[in-house]
Amino acid sequence: MNPLKLIARVLAPVHEPAGYQPVVTDGVAVLPPSADVVHITRYPEAERIAASLRDYPGDWGWRMKGYELEHSPTGFVMWVTNEGYGLAEVSSGNKSKFEPGEQEVIWPAVQAWLSSHKVGFTGRLPKVKIWRKGGIWRCMSEQHPWAGAGSSPEEAYQSWSRAVSIEARTDQRPGEILHVWSAAR
């Protein structure tokens, strides 16, 4: 066969039978008696929420991490702790649960948002600032209200890391003095 004819045959549109076409009389479609009619309940608000979560995920953020999700442009807040409790709209501290049908529409979008905005546990300590003041090296991070001190940068970091992490304290020798100050007010 000619290669050009083969390509034309492969790319040619396929004409399939159209199936049953309802008969329209006076603007009303008449279906056959064996047809099953399914009524679909629409939830426009739930569809708008789900579409916003899918299409504009940057507009959403945690109001209370792990519990309340807020739409920044409008201030709309949703309670999203777990699927067992269900989704609820939060207004003035009160929660009103979405109907089960609405939750079925919203939950897949919420789960997709949660999975894409997950901050997993890395096990690494946060970045620190190490400086020298008055002949003593000090170490501190913005995430923890603790400051470590020592005669070298390594000692300052070691004392700080032992203050914020139980894992870092496993190498501490018995009787060793740990110098840590709290910056909490």
Side-chain angles (χ1 to χ4, degrees), residues 81-94:
T81 55
N82 59 36
E83 197 168 356
Y85 175 82
L87 297 169
E89 180 179 349
V90 179
S91 62
S92 304
N94 299 322

Side-chain angles (χ1 to χ4, degrees), residues 17-112:
Y20 177 78
Q21 296 296 320
V23 178
V24 179
T25 52
D26 297 330
V28 177
V30 179
L31 298 174
S34 63
D36 292 330
V37 178
V38 178
H39 295 283
I40 299 174
T41 307
R42 307 287 304 202
Y43 299 102
E45 182 184 9
E47 291 169 7
R48 283 193 301 274
I49 293 168
S52 175
L53 280 162
R54 278 191 307 270
D55 300 339
Y56 305 102
D59 286 352
W60 293 84
W62 288 113
R63 178 174 171 196
M64 186 183 341
K65 186 150 177 98
Y67 297 98
E68 295 178 0
L69 201 55
E70 180 177 22
H71 185 246
S72 302
T74 62
F76 174 79
V77 180
M78 238 184 346
W79 181 265
V80 295
T81 55
N82 59 36
E83 197 168 356
Y85 175 82
L87 297 169
E89 180 179 349
V90 179
S91 62
S92 304
N94 299 322
K95 294 183 215 86
S96 56
K97 287 180 96 173
F98 287 105
E99 293 179 26
E102 291 175 314
Q103 291 188 28
E104 288 176 15
V105 172
I106 299 171
W107 256 115
V110 168
Q111 288 175 328

Side-chain angles (χ1 to χ4, degrees), residues 108-130:
V110 168
Q111 288 175 328
W113 189 91
L114 293 174
S115 67
S116 68
H117 289 77
K118 193 178 284 187
V119 178
F121 176 71
T122 62
R124 283 191 247 146
L125 292 172
K127 291 187 178 183
V128 295
K129 178 182 173 188
I130 298 177

